[in-house]
Amino acid sequence: MKLDGLTFPDDRLYAPEHNLWLREEPDGEITLGLSDYGVALYGEIFAFTPKRIGLRIAAGRSFGVVEFAKAAAAAKSPLAGTVSAHNPQLEQRPALIHLDPYGEGWMIRLTPEDWPAARAQLLHGASAVAAFEREAERDGFNPDDTSVQAFRRGE
């Protein structure tokens, strides 16, 4: 699905309030990454510092810090769980977060505490896109802004 040129793959769940996508893995782990909207909002990512493996993260709490052109922000988890892995490529190439947000740019994996309850709070498909549209309105996001367009072109 698309919104103003931003992509939201149908095989993901989304937490629009955190600008994240989530994917349930066959082993029950949950992979998290920054959505295309988060990438367009933040711009170029310069660093990602994840919490340590084995640390329990409460829902709504930080699983790492993302540094981008304008500032730094805590990346907050929409679900409780234990950090089971980081993306090792991000240590050397944090730009993968914005260059390939739904592929090589994944950020962490969690072992969820109550996945059925957490999953029920997440969105997918048209409901996710509608929620991102509301977030964009609230954020004053303008997809026609020339800096957003230049960033999408990789300039």
Side-chain angles (χ1 to χ4, degrees):
M1 302 204 70
K2 293 222 176 221
L3 169 66
D4 291 328
L6 305 174
T7 301
F8 300 92
D10 288 335
D11 65 342
R12 310 295 161 102
L13 296 165
Y14 295 93
E17 70 279 11
H18 298 292
N19 298 320
L20 296 173
W21 60 261
L22 299 91
R23 182 182 58 217
E24 184 176 9
E25 302 298 338
D27 63 0
E29 298 287 306
I30 307 300
T31 301
L32 288 83
L34 193 62
S35 70
D36 217 13
Y37 175 69
V39 168
L41 191 64
Y42 300 140
E44 187 173 357
I45 307 295
F46 294 110
F48 172 62
T49 306
K51 299 284 185 175
R52 68 177 166 76
I53 292 174
L55 185 69
R56 181 189 179 276
I57 305 292
R61 302 299 292 190
S62 172
F63 64 81
V65 175
V66 177
E67 296 178 41
F68 46 97
K70 300 173 187 167
K76 295 181 179 180
S77 176
L79 70 151
T82 302
V83 177
S84 58
H86 315 133
N87 183 344
Q89 295 184 82
L90 298 182
E91 190 172 312
Q92 297 298 317
R93 296 190 61 211
L96 286 172
I97 294 172
H98 67 267
L99 294 173
D100 189 12
Y102 298 111
E104 296 295 313
W106 65 273
M107 298 165 82
I108 67 163
R109 289 202 172 109
L110 292 176
T111 302
E113 289 184 3
D114 186 357
W115 177 236
R119 190 179 199 292
Q121 302 298 313
L122 301 170
L123 302 173
H124 75 284
S127 60
V129 172
F132 276 109
E133 191 169 23
R134 288 190 297 274
E135 290 289 321
E137 287 176 18
R138 187 174 24 245
D139 293 338
F141 178 75
N142 179 2
D144 297 325
D145 182 299
T146 55
S147 64
V148 171
Q149 293 170 352
F151 179 74
R152 287 186 185 155
R153 291 190 303 266
E155 297 173 1

